[in-house]
Amino acid sequence: MPGPKRPGIALSYNFWIQNFKPMGPFQLNADARIAIQAALDGGAAILEVYHNETTEVELKGDESPLTQADLRSNAAIMNWLEQSEHPVLSE
């Protein structure tokens, strides 16, 4: 799995599992590993935007806000979820 793009922002699944082990025997299936890495990369994409850019907000058709952080985190998450066999409904 790809590592962090910037130190301190993204955690990889391997870092997470080595440092935040639950008590007792523990095995994650492939879907759980994908979900964890998708969440970590999605969060990193959000932080990347907020640390480096002025937040621009667009309005969707229903008048709800949409930011660059939303779009980039969605793309990062979709990169991982497309590797699973599950259908995905996204913006």
Side-chain angles (χ1 to χ4, degrees), residues 2-86:
K5 293 178 183 162
R6 281 185 31 183
I9 288 185
L11 296 175
S12 69
Y13 165 77
N14 290 330
F15 178 86
W16 181 84
I17 201 65
Q18 290 169 3
N19 293 285
F20 302 104
K21 292 180 184 173
M23 299 173 84
F26 187 70
Q27 282 289 332
L28 292 176
N29 66 24
D31 286 341
R33 290 193 299 273
I34 288 170
I36 290 166
Q37 194 62 55
L40 292 169
D41 286 358
I46 291 169
L47 291 175
E48 191 78 28
V49 170
Y50 288 122
H51 286 294
N52 295 309
E53 299 177 21
T54 302
T55 303
E56 296 179 25
V57 179
E58 299 175 29
L59 293 179
K60 297 187 280 187
D62 64 357
E63 302 284 325
S64 60
L66 179 66
T67 66
Q68 285 299 311
D70 295 324
L71 295 171
R72 291 184 188 178
S73 66
N74 185 68
I77 291 167
M78 291 302 296
N79 276 337
W80 286 102
L81 296 184
E82 289 170 348
Q83 297 177 39
S84 75
E85 295 179 5
H86 303 288

